[in-house]
Amino acid sequence: MKTIVRSITFTLAVLSGQTTSAQTFDPEQQLRTFADCAGRLSAVMEYQWMFDGAASEQTKRHRAAVIDLVEATMPPDRGREVLHWRISAKLAQSALLTRATFNADADDAAWALAQAQRFERACTGLLLS
């Protein structure tokens, strides 16, 4: 498991462009980021089921990869807390997507969509695919 975490940490260091040692990453922050992304991508996938079914297949693969990262970095006794993070992030992403789709205020809808897309890109940007 430590080898997987080190590999993930190194990958994140390379992807983020950081030149410092990979050990400078906070494992707690990594776990929180992965959990948040798993939740956000779950919301995106469910949204796509309604409005863009074909895109949901790619999101499903991204979500599975992020869940693998969660499982690789999560200590056994943190399951409930991590699940709470995932659900909270899913609800937040879903609220943005709903706000973007069913909003009479075009400017606010555009803002919500931009935020939802920014969060989604940040999550998929963690992956090598």
Side-chain angles (χ1 to χ4, degrees), residues 65-88:
V66 171
I67 289 172
D68 287 344
L69 293 172
V70 170
E71 291 172 355
T73 58
M74 182 179 68
D77 61 338
R78 301 285 299 278
R80 291 183 69 161
E81 181 180 20
V82 170
L83 181 59
H84 172 73
W85 293 342
R86 287 178 60 180
I87 292 169
S88 295

Side-chain angles (χ1 to χ4, degrees), residues 1-2 4-14 16 18 21-38 66 69-75 78 82 85 126:
M1 169 109 101
K2 288 185 179 187
I4 293 170
V5 172
R6 283 191 199 121
S7 175
I8 292 167
T9 302
F10 176 75
T11 302
L12 288 173
V14 170
S16 68
Q18 291 197 8
S21 168
Q23 283 112 11
T24 62
F25 278 98
D26 176 20
E28 179 73 12
Q29 187 57 46
Q30 281 183 340
L31 178 58
R32 181 65 189 256
T33 298
F34 298 150
D36 285 350
C37 285
V66 171
L69 293 172
V70 170
E71 291 172 355
T73 58
M74 182 179 68
R78 301 285 299 278
V82 170
W85 293 342
L126 296 172

Side-chain angles (χ1 to χ4, degrees), residues 7-127:
S7 175
I8 292 167
T9 302
F10 176 75
T11 302
L12 288 173
V14 170
L15 291 175
S16 68
Q18 291 197 8
T19 57
T20 59
S21 168
Q23 283 112 11
T24 62
F25 278 98
D26 176 20
E28 179 73 12
Q29 187 57 46
Q30 281 183 340
L31 178 58
R32 181 65 189 256
T33 298
F34 298 150
D36 285 350
C37 285
R40 288 190 181 280
L41 292 174
S42 291
V44 170
M45 183 178 66
E46 290 176 9
Y47 176 84
Q48 289 170 334
W49 287 344
M50 292 184 289
F51 298 104
D52 187 3
S56 70
E57 290 303 314
Q58 180 66 28
T59 303
K60 182 179 178 180
R61 287 188 291 278
H62 289 158
R63 178 182 165 271
V66 171
I67 289 172
D68 287 344
L69 293 172
V70 170
E71 291 172 355
T73 58
M74 182 179 68
D77 61 338
R78 301 285 299 278
R80 291 183 69 161
E81 181 180 20
V82 170
L83 181 59
H84 172 73
W85 293 342
R86 287 178 60 180
I87 292 169
S88 295
K90 179 180 178 179
L91 291 173
Q93 187 76 1
S94 180
L96 284 172
L97 292 167
T98 299
R99 187 172 168 179
T101 304
F102 303 106
N103 194 338
D105 182 340
D107 290 336
D108 189 59
W111 176 87
L113 180 61
Q115 294 305 306
Q117 290 172 336
R118 182 176 62 86
F119 285 126
E120 181 183 359
R121 280 191 310 272
C123 290
T124 57
L126 296 172
L127 305 173

